Amino acid sequence: MPIVVGIRFKDSGKIYYFDPRDLELHTGDPVIVETVRGLELARVAFERREVGDDAIVGELKPVVRRAEDADLARMAELQQYHAEALARCAEKVQEHGLPMKLVKAEYSFDGSRLTFYFTADQRVDFRQLVRDLARTFKTRIELRQIGPRDEAKMLGGIGPCGRILCCASFLPDYARVSIKMAKDQDLPLNPSKISGVCGRLLCCLSYEHEQYLEMRSQLPKRGTWVMTPDGPGEVVGQHVLKQQVLVQLASSGMIETYDIPQITLATEQVAALARARAAEGITPARPAKTERGERRMLRDEVDAFEWNDDLSLLEDDEPSFSPPAPVLPPIIESSRDAEQQLVPKSRARRRGGNAADDAPAAPAKSPGKHPPATAAKSPGKHPSAAAAKSSGKHPPATKPSPQEPAGTPGGDTGKRRRRRRNTGK
């Protein structure tokens, strides 16, 4: 395991590990160490000790030597130029019109680098500013943007408690603070009361948070019912540090303050009374069954309701008997009626355009060419009109035989009949 010493560059800065080599170093000794930016002046935070390999991040740099009086004097001389460098840099910033606020200027130990710290609400393009500052100071320029907490740490100050800021005195890292910590400690959620100089939440909110949680866990939660010397009641408030609770009594509605031992003693008395009654054979009354909500009961009632009887009232009443259908005399159709029906049928066939698929029409009127079919001339094919009258039935439609010529009534088309009608034949 490597042997290291703790080195701190600022009073409240982080502690870094360095190799002490064969130097005998004590806490608070000024030393010169080697860093990635060159030689720096620092102080020993703790003496040499062994640490694990996983604690070493990167390369372990060595301690060069102890700091002498000349080194301290040189560093003090460079610090005298910090205010002048900051003022000249502010002029350059104003010339370029950059939205940035300068916080501090700092020279390195050997004077080869000048660092400016600033704050800004957004990223700033300061490349041209760096060129002008390098020509002005004739040294290497570095600009660093920091946050409001870093600004308070560099400048220092007095906190609301009247003491030096924690971040500027001893706090190496910023505590992780949330608004929930203020709620757990029953602090007023007023920004002016729980904010520090930097405008962020107070770092000291995290110091006692765990203790508050531990003490609060020993108190009954709000909304629970407890037994007090004055009767049962509901917990409506807590005093964590005093270990007291505020109870609203069920009998009078008054809010009283009770200590935890009082509530515990009353609870033990109730338990002892219950054990005594159980020994005597007195059983507690069975609690009445709690009624369900009105909405749930109404839904169950609707689901169990029989709708068949009510829906039957919406239907029309059907008659118990149906009247007999009237008996009509048979329809007697004469040859004249058949001839009158021929015209609309032929027109329908003309619209369709295919007369062969339609039913054959009745015989034409010309007595010389196509005589009407009677029972005397063709007794085997067409029934007579007298027979149709006697039977009360319609004569069946005749179909043309395949031996008939195209000019017969069965094979005639609508166009041919129309031509005959127009010529008067």
Side-chain angles (χ1 to χ4, degrees):
M1 294 182 15
I3 299 177
V4 298
V5 291
I7 300 298
R8 180 177 289 171
F9 294 93
K10 297 180 181 180
D11 295 339
S12 59
K14 295 182 180 180
I15 298 177
Y16 299 91
Y17 295 147
F18 283 85
D19 183 9
R21 298 192 300 176
D22 55 352
L23 297 176
E24 188 68 24
L25 300 176
H26 302 282
T27 303
D29 292 345
V31 292
I32 303 298
V33 296
E34 181 182 353
T35 64
V36 294
R37 299 177 182 177
L39 298 180
E40 292 289 348
L41 177 64
R43 291 186 179 274
V44 179
F46 57 82
E47 299 179 2
R48 61 174 60 208
R49 65 178 62 173
E50 294 182 357
V51 296
D53 295 336
D54 54 349
I56 306 299
V57 179
E59 183 182 359
L60 188 63
K61 298 289 185 178
V63 176
V64 178
R65 56 183 174 83
R66 288 175 178 271
E68 301 176 355
D69 295 340
D71 299 330
L72 298 177
R74 176 180 176 78
M75 196 66 189
E77 182 182 359
L78 292 175
Q79 290 179 356
Q80 295 178 1
Y81 299 103
H82 289 173
E84 182 182 356
L86 191 64
R88 298 184 64 179
C89 181
E91 295 176 359
K92 295 294 183 180
V93 170
Q94 188 174 3
E95 291 178 3
H96 290 275
L98 298 177
M100 52 191 299
K101 175 186 175 183
L102 295 175
V103 177
K104 187 178 181 181
E106 186 178 31
Y107 274 100
S108 62
F109 172 73
D110 53 1
S112 61
R113 185 182 67 257
L114 178 59
T115 305
F116 292 97
Y117 299 92
F118 70 94
T119 59
D121 297 335
Q122 55 188 359
R123 294 181 63 88
V124 181
D125 186 7
F126 47 76
R127 290 175 293 182
Q128 187 63 34
L129 176 62
V130 171
R131 298 189 186 98
D132 291 349
L133 293 176
R135 289 193 295 265
T136 301
F137 294 101
K138 307 299 181 181
T139 185
R140 181 179 178 183
I141 303 298
E142 183 177 353
L143 290 175
R144 285 190 185 182
Q145 184 175 356
I146 60 176
R149 289 182 180 269
D150 296 323
E151 180 183 4
K153 186 174 184 177
M154 286 185 176
L155 299 180
I158 305 297
C161 58
R163 304 184 62 179
I164 299 177
L165 298 179
C166 299
C167 56
S169 57
F170 67 90
L171 194 64
D173 297 323
Y174 302 113
R176 190 178 185 86
V177 188
S178 63
I179 196 65
K180 185 177 180 301
M181 296 181 179
K183 294 180 180 179
D184 292 339
Q185 300 177 29
D186 295 332
L187 295 176
L189 301 181
N190 188 351
S192 61
K193 300 293 183 181
I194 58 177
S195 299
V197 177
C198 59
R200 300 294 187 267
L201 291 175
L202 292 169
C203 296
C204 55
L205 292 179
S206 62
Y207 297 164
E208 302 174 354
H209 183 242
E210 295 182 1
Q211 185 177 1
Y212 268 90
L213 294 180
E214 183 180 356
M215 297 178 66
R216 188 181 293 275
S217 63
Q218 300 175 5
L219 298 176
K221 297 182 180 179
R222 296 180 182 179
T224 58
W225 284 79
V226 295
M227 183 61 68
T228 65
D230 300 328
E234 182 182 2
V235 177
V236 295
Q238 298 174 338
H239 292 310
V240 179
L241 297 181
K242 295 182 179 180
Q243 288 292 287
Q244 294 178 349
V245 292
L246 300 177
V247 180
Q248 184 177 10
L249 299 178
S251 58
S252 61
M254 300 296 293
I255 298 178
E256 301 291 341
T257 304
Y258 297 95
D259 296 332
I260 296 301
Q262 293 178 340
I263 296 178
T264 304
L265 180 61
T267 307
E268 291 178 355
Q269 291 177 357
V270 173
L273 180 60
R275 286 193 296 267
R277 290 186 177 183
E280 296 176 2
I282 303 176
T283 58
R286 178 177 297 180
K289 185 178 180 181
T290 57
E291 297 291 341
R292 293 184 293 182
E294 295 180 3
R295 186 177 298 179
R296 178 64 180 275
M297 295 175 62
L298 180 61
R299 184 169 64 251
D300 295 345
E301 183 179 355
V302 170
D303 295 341
F305 191 83
E306 293 293 335
W307 292 96
N308 296 333
D309 298 337
D310 292 345
L311 291 178
S312 62
L313 300 177
L314 302 178
E315 299 177 355
D316 296 333
D317 295 334
E318 296 182 358
S320 58
F321 65 94
S322 57
V327 180
L328 301 178
I331 300 175
I332 301 175
E333 184 177 350
S334 61
S335 60
R336 180 176 294 182
D337 297 334
E339 293 175 6
Q340 292 178 357
Q341 295 177 1
L342 178 62
V343 177
K345 290 183 180 180
S346 62
R347 290 178 181 176
R349 283 195 295 270
R350 286 199 306 270
R351 295 190 188 100
N354 188 4
D357 297 340
D358 299 333
K365 285 185 178 182
S366 60
K369 294 183 179 180
H370 302 285
T374 59
K377 291 184 180 181
S378 56
K381 294 183 180 180
H382 304 283
S384 61
K389 291 181 181 180
S390 61
S391 61
K393 299 180 180 180
H394 300 282
T398 59
K399 296 182 180 180
S401 61
Q403 290 81 10
E404 290 181 355
T408 59
D412 197 2
T413 60
K415 296 181 180 180
R416 194 169 184 177
R417 291 193 188 91
R418 185 177 58 181
R419 185 168 59 253
R420 291 175 184 176
R421 195 179 302 111
N422 294 335
T423 54
K425 293 181 179 181

